[in-house]
Amino acid sequence: MIRGDRIFGTVMIVIALGYILSAYGIETSFMSDPVGPRVFPYLIALVMIVCSLVMVLRPDPEADWPAAPMLLQLGIAFAVLVAYAYAITPLGFILPTAIASGVLCWQIAGKPLRAAITGAGLGVGLWVLFRLILGLGLRGLPAGWGF
């Protein structure tokens, strides 16, 4: 696993450098915060590079890869999160959040009714928190459905 850790660390360094490059293109106005919106992506990339360098320089000699069922679970979770990212703009916040959190909850707990209730509660509850309490401009439902 030493070689696998080093390859993964190197790939993550390349991704972090790409992240820095893409954050460099963020436009800032003269009236923005003096720190600017680029600092957060730079900090994330810096932490990513430091962690990746540790992984490259001090790889774990006894790392175990998860079994095939766990890899399938991770793949499903990844697909749900990617679909969530693409669905949130056309469908609003509540429906994609309810579906994604319900599926992820079902993966963790394995009880469909509880997962559906948790997903619906998180979708509505987080929307209320973000929209009504924090005042963020989130659209709750697809355009033309209200909210």
Side-chain angles (χ1 to χ4, degrees), residues 67-102:
M70 179 56 74
L71 287 176
L72 178 65
Q73 293 284 333
L74 292 172
I76 291 171
F78 180 73
V80 166
L81 292 175
V82 169
Y84 176 71
Y86 280 104
I88 199 163
T89 299
L91 297 178
F93 182 80
I94 296 173
L95 290 175
T97 302
I99 293 169
S101 59

Side-chain angles (χ1 to χ4, degrees), residues 118-132:
T118 301
L122 279 173
V124 174
L126 288 175
W127 183 80
V128 168
L129 174 72
F130 292 147
R131 175 70 184 216
L132 302 179

Side-chain angles (χ1 to χ4, degrees), residues 27-114:
E27 297 286 331
T28 59
S29 70
F30 67 93
M31 294 181 63
S32 68
D33 187 351
V35 176
R38 291 185 198 152
V39 173
F40 184 71
Y42 287 165
L43 288 175
I44 296 293
L46 180 68
V47 169
M48 199 168 156
I49 288 172
V50 169
C51 292
S52 299
L53 280 175
V54 170
M55 189 174 275
V56 169
L57 298 176
R58 297 189 55 161
D60 188 5
E62 297 179 17
D64 293 327
W65 286 90
M70 179 56 74
L71 287 176
L72 178 65
Q73 293 284 333
L74 292 172
I76 291 171
F78 180 73
V80 166
L81 292 175
V82 169
Y84 176 71
Y86 280 104
I88 199 163
T89 299
L91 297 178
F93 182 80
I94 296 173
L95 290 175
T97 302
I99 293 169
S101 59
V103 170
L104 295 176
C105 183
W106 171 72
Q107 279 191 304
I108 293 170
K111 297 181 179 178
L113 181 61
R114 283 188 185 176

